[in-house]
Amino acid sequence: MIDTIKEHIVQVEKFSATSVQEIESFRIKYLGKKGLLNEFFKEFKNVPNDQKKEFGKTINKLKVLAAEKVSTLKETLEEKGDEKSVNGDLTRPGEPLELGSRHPISIVKNQIIDIFSRIGFNVSEGPEIEDDWHNFTALNLPEHHPARDMQDTFFIQTDPDLLLRTHTSSVQVRYMENNKPPIRTISPGRVYRNEAISARSHCFFHQVEGLYIDKDVSFADLKQTLQFFTTELFGKSKIRLRPSYFPFTEPSAEVDVYWGLETETDYRMTKGTGWLEIMGCGMVDPNVLENCGIDPKEYSGFAFGMGIDRIALLLHQISDIRLLSENDLRFLEQFKSAF
Ligand code: PHE
C-alpha cells in the first residue's frame, strides 16, 4: 500500500498541465471528495499498528504535494494569460477618456458670479445651519413677526435657536458684521424651505443674493445694476420693478424681465404676458444696517436675491426642478458642451 502511495508522489511531482480543465481533473483525482487521498485515509484503519506512523506521514506528504501542485499550476497559467492580454492587439484604438460635465446649477452660478465680479462684487459664503439672529432677527424679523411665515422653516430639533437657512441674506448679515462699507458682495449658496416637492418647487434650492452699501447709494443705482445683469445674462435689457414687500428692505420691489413673445415657448413661459419674474430687491432697511453695526445716517444700500434653480430651468428649458437633484447621468451629460 505504502508503495502505491509513493508511486503517486512521484507522479504528482512530475505532473504538469497546460489548461484549466487538466488542472481541475488532477485536483478531483487526488483531492476531490471521492479522490485517491480520501481512499487512502479510509485504508488507514486496516494498516497494522507498527506501520501506521509511516503510512500517515506518506499520505500527508502526498496531500501537501498535490495541493501545492494545483496552486502553482494555476498561478503559472494565470500569468501566461496576463502576458497574452499585454501582447494583444496593439493596433486597437485607445480607450477614450471620459469627459465630465458641470452641473447646470454650477454653470449658471458661475455665470452670475462672473457678471457681478466685472462690476466689483466679491463672493461671500456662510453656514447652511444658521442661528435665529442671522436668518431672521437681524433682518428686521423679530420673534413672532408674521413675515417669518413667508418662508417655511426647518428647525433643528435639539436646539430651538438653530435652523436650516431659508435664504442667503444670512450671509449678508455676517458680512456686514465683519466688514466696513463700502461693501459689494454676492452670496451664492444652498437654502432650505419646508415646501412640498413638485415639478416647480423643492425643499432645497440655490440662491444668489447681492448687497451694495456705501454713501449715497440710491434706488437708481439698484435699477442700473440689475439692468446690467439681465442684459449680460439673458441678453434682455428691458426690466420693470413692481412694488413688493420684504421685511429687510424698504422700499421693496419684484423684478420682472421682458422676455418677449416671439415663440410659442415664450408664450408658455410668460403665461402670455411676455414678462418673467426673476428676483426680489430693495433698499436695505435702516434697522438692518443698525443691527449689523453700520450707521444708517452715514450709509445706505441695496440688496437683491434670486433663485439659481429657476434661472437654470429658464436658460436651459428644463421642465422639472427635480431633475436638478436626481443625479441622472442621461440628464447631466447634456451639459457637456456648456462651460
Ligand atoms: N431674501 C429674499 C428671499 O429669499 C430675497 C431678497 C433679497 C429680497 C434681498 C430683497 C432683497 O426671498
Side-chain angles (χ1 to χ4, degrees):
M1 192 71 200
I2 288 191
D3 290 340
T4 329
I5 301 176
K6 281 184 178 159
E7 257 170 46
H8 278 292
I9 291 183
V10 178
Q11 278 180 28
V12 166
E13 276 172 339
K14 271 200 260 166
F15 180 76
S16 77
T18 48
S19 75
V20 186
Q21 289 91 330
E22 274 178 87
I23 300 173
E24 185 58 11
S25 44
F26 173 83
R27 189 190 65 78
I28 292 169
K29 180 179 167 195
Y30 284 98
L31 301 160
K33 237 187 202 164
K34 290 181 184 155
L36 283 172
L37 270 157
N38 276 346
E39 294 294 317
F40 293 143
F41 278 119
K42 271 185 215 153
E43 286 297 318
F44 191 73
K45 57 179 183 297
N46 304 327
V47 175
N49 273 349
D50 58 339
Q51 290 176 28
K52 268 197 162 84
K53 196 174 167 194
E54 203 198 338
F55 188 84
K57 262 192 189 168
T58 325
I59 316 181
N60 267 332
K61 190 175 173 194
L62 177 62
K63 187 180 170 186
V64 173
L65 278 175
E68 271 176 7
K69 196 74 179 186
V70 169
S71 60
T72 47
L73 282 176
K74 271 191 186 164
E75 265 171 38
T76 42
L77 210 63
E78 271 166 27
E79 274 168 20
K80 273 191 192 157
D82 284 352
E83 268 168 37
K84 249 187 213 152
S85 67
V86 172
N87 296 329
D89 182 359
L90 293 177
T91 61
R92 229 178 106 209
E95 297 279 341
L97 277 181
E98 278 288 333
L99 205 61
S101 56
R102 281 197 204 282
H103 193 280
I105 296 279
S106 303
I107 295 170
V108 173
K109 183 181 86 176
N110 290 343
Q111 278 175 299
I112 297 173
I113 291 176
D114 185 50
I115 293 168
F116 281 106
S117 64
R118 270 185 264 149
I119 49 173
F121 282 76
N122 66 8
V123 174
S124 49
E125 285 180 337
E128 292 182 18
I129 299 176
E130 255 308 352
D131 51 37
D132 184 280
W133 169 259
H134 291 98
N135 196 78
F136 289 129
T137 309
L139 288 160
N140 215 18
L141 280 152
E143 220 185 322
H144 305 307
H145 192 292
R148 282 191 177 209
D149 295 340
M150 283 167 76
Q151 304 170 346
D152 277 328
T153 311
F154 286 115
F155 291 93
I156 308 277
Q157 233 172 8
T158 46
D159 185 343
D161 191 48
L162 292 183
L163 45 87
L164 296 181
R165 67 181 179 196
T166 58
H167 49 192
T168 54
S169 304
S170 54
V171 183
Q172 304 184 330
V173 174
R174 288 180 180 275
Y175 198 85
M176 284 189 277
E177 285 173 343
N178 295 311
N179 295 276
K180 297 245 158 309
I183 289 172
R184 261 176 274 167
T185 187
I186 52 170
S187 318
R190 182 173 282 185
V191 301
Y192 302 81
R193 291 184 198 175
N194 188 7
E195 278 173 22
I197 298 171
S198 71
R200 297 192 52 78
S201 67
H202 213 297
C203 59
F204 65 83
F205 55 97
H206 304 78
Q207 278 192 326
V208 177
E209 298 224 353
L211 179 72
Y212 190 154
I213 307 220
D214 205 345
K215 287 181 176 145
D216 304 321
V217 178
S218 72
F219 203 82
D221 297 323
L222 168 61
K223 189 173 178 193
Q224 283 302 309
T225 306
L226 297 182
Q227 200 171 26
F228 169 77
F229 169 70
T230 60
T231 313
E232 293 294 304
L233 187 66
F234 304 115
K236 318 259 180 199
S237 59
K238 193 166 157 185
I239 60 170
R240 71 179 179 194
L241 296 157
R242 276 182 294 113
S244 184
Y245 170 77
F246 295 105
F248 27 86
T249 47
E250 180 59 35
S252 305
E254 217 75 62
V255 184
D256 298 343
V257 58
Y258 189 69
W259 197 259
L261 279 175
E262 276 157 33
T263 65
E264 209 173 307
T265 319
D266 294 345
Y267 264 87
R268 192 166 36 81
M269 274 165 48
T270 66
K271 299 198 181 84
T273 63
W275 291 96
L276 266 182
E277 184 187 316
I278 52 156
M279 65 172 111
C281 68
M283 302 304 292
V284 182
D285 192 298
N287 288 341
V288 176
L289 294 178
E290 213 161 277
N291 285 340
C292 302
I294 293 173
D295 183 359
K297 287 191 206 79
E298 199 180 343
Y299 294 104
S300 58
F302 63 73
F304 55 86
M306 65 191 110
I308 306 180
D309 307 57
R310 273 208 59 213
I311 294 178
L313 300 188
L314 269 175
L315 285 176
H316 296 283
Q317 294 294 311
I318 302 164
S319 56
D320 192 325
I321 197 170
R322 289 168 292 195
L323 284 168
L324 296 174
S325 49
E326 276 170 359
N327 279 340
D328 186 335
L329 282 180
R330 290 167 303 177
F331 168 73
L332 296 173
E333 280 177 350
Q334 296 174 45
F335 297 91
K336 274 195 177 156
S337 57
F339 51 92

